[in-house]
Amino acid sequence: MRNLDQHTITQEVIGRFADTPDPRLKEIVTSLVRHLHDFAREVELTEDEWAKGIAYLTATGQKCDDKRQEFILLSDVLGLSMLTVAMNNAKPPQCTEATVFGPFYVEGAPHYENGDDVANGAAGEPCEVSGAIRDLDGQPIAGAKIDVWQADSEGKYDVQRGELDHPEGRGVLHADSEGRFHFHSVLAEAYPIPTDGPVGELLAATRRHPWRPAHLHFRIEAPGYETLVTHVFRSDDEWLDSDAVFGVRQSLIAPWVRRDDGSYSLTYDFVLNPVGGRG
């Protein structure tokens, strides 16, 4: 078709994807084209603005490496990460809620035994974390694999510290025969998400703060159960109601209790949903 204009081009583009053999891919691409074109028409996007948009996406990709995922960060601050989590994690109300994955998970974290110190040198006030992994009936899930990771007292993850030659504040443990776990680490502190890249430029331009409330990351896996990716948030944090990535859920807020010796403790139990279970 020739002489396409702003009113006819969308259907022509969609038509070019008509023979896509994968029906789900066809559905996604078709909807993407329709919404992108409608967006451009709605805001009357200029050629210069679109060129700047392409440059922004290019810079976002260039900021990514094996230790930093700027596109995840962009998805987070736009609320898209939490939207997909909310749409894809319908579970019975007694199950632990999921939240955003974040850009600082690392495969192959060191393995620890229950009772070990996963801080491994990370700066911060001492904290003991304990809890249990259970099913919907309250029965223990023995041997559940538990990935944990967190920032240090300065709000930095180990992968943000180029001087480190070993992991800090992250590790893999397994629940015991009663589904219980416990480990030592450091007190979770609030921190700003990285602002030295395109996402930081977006926040500054829109006058948004970059702060995340203090939290500890968990990724819990067990055969026969849906993998749970979640956080536990400190109940006394000032940023709970304005998390930069929209990840706070009331059920995930818990107290970090200060002990007489100045250290802290956190106790939190997790409930997993069986594969194919109720949603």
Side-chain angles (χ1 to χ4, degrees):
M1 182 179 239
R2 302 180 183 180
N3 300 321
L4 294 168
D5 60 26
Q6 61 178 306
H7 304 293
T8 59
I9 189 171
T10 302
Q11 279 307 122
E12 180 67 16
V13 174
I14 289 172
R16 302 286 178 93
F17 291 103
D19 295 330
T20 304
D22 184 326
R24 178 59 175 166
L25 177 61
K26 180 180 178 180
E27 178 185 15
I28 291 172
V29 172
T30 297
S31 183
L32 176 65
V33 169
R34 182 179 296 113
H35 285 284
L36 278 176
H37 285 216
D38 285 346
F39 159 74
R41 279 188 284 263
E42 178 183 337
V43 301
E44 297 183 343
L45 192 67
T46 69
E47 293 176 81
D48 181 61
E49 288 167 341
W50 183 225
K52 289 178 179 176
I54 291 173
Y56 182 84
L57 294 174
T58 301
T60 301
Q62 291 170 338
K63 195 67 177 177
C64 299
D65 57 29
D66 61 336
K67 296 181 179 179
R68 167 106 170 242
Q69 232 302 348
E70 193 77 358
F71 271 111
I72 290 179
L73 203 59
L74 179 59
S75 174
D76 288 348
V77 302
L78 293 176
L80 184 57
S81 297
M82 199 60 221
L83 173 60
T84 57
V85 168
M87 289 191 303
N88 289 277
N89 284 275
K91 300 174 183 178
Q94 62 266 48
C95 284
T96 303
E97 291 188 275
T99 190
V100 293
F101 199 39
F104 295 119
Y105 171 76
V106 176
E107 291 278 1
H111 285 248
Y112 290 98
E113 299 296 325
N114 275 295
D116 284 350
D117 180 11
V118 306
N120 199 26
E125 298 180 75
C127 180
E128 183 177 14
V129 181
S130 62
I133 316 296
R134 304 193 183 281
D135 65 16
L136 288 171
D137 298 317
Q139 296 302 305
I141 302 178
K145 179 184 176 185
I146 307 163
D147 266 281
V148 295
W149 66 104
Q150 70 172 99
D152 60 23
S153 62
E154 296 181 356
K156 297 285 188 181
Y157 288 83
D158 53 1
V159 293
Q160 294 176 281
R161 295 190 176 279
E163 75 277 10
L164 285 180
D165 60 1
H166 64 278
E168 290 186 350
R170 71 175 69 242
V172 179
L173 308 97
H174 288 83
D176 64 18
S177 60
E178 297 181 347
R180 297 193 172 278
F181 66 91
H182 69 285
F183 59 91
H184 294 271
S185 190
V186 294
L187 179 67
E189 303 279 6
Y191 64 84
I193 61 173
T195 57
D196 60 341
V199 171
E201 294 175 9
L202 175 63
L203 294 181
T206 55
R207 295 187 179 179
R208 283 182 54 189
H209 76 71
W211 285 89
R212 295 221 64 205
H215 60 274
L216 179 58
H217 292 264
F218 287 85
R219 183 176 190 267
I220 303 173
E221 300 174 85
Y225 295 89
E226 296 176 356
T227 296
L228 173 66
V229 175
T230 195
H231 307 354
V232 179
F233 295 90
R234 269 182 63 183
S235 59
D236 59 349
D237 195 280
E238 65 176 303
W239 303 106
L240 288 171
D241 293 320
S242 61
D243 180 11
V245 306
F246 310 96
V248 178
R249 291 293 177 267
Q250 183 63 41
S251 67
L252 303 177
I253 299 172
W256 265 252
V257 178
R258 186 176 175 86
R259 295 167 163 173
D260 291 340
D261 63 2
S263 67
Y264 288 80
S265 66
L266 165 67
T267 301
Y268 195 90
D269 293 345
F270 298 87
V271 178
L272 304 188
N273 199 34
V275 172
R278 302 188 307 276

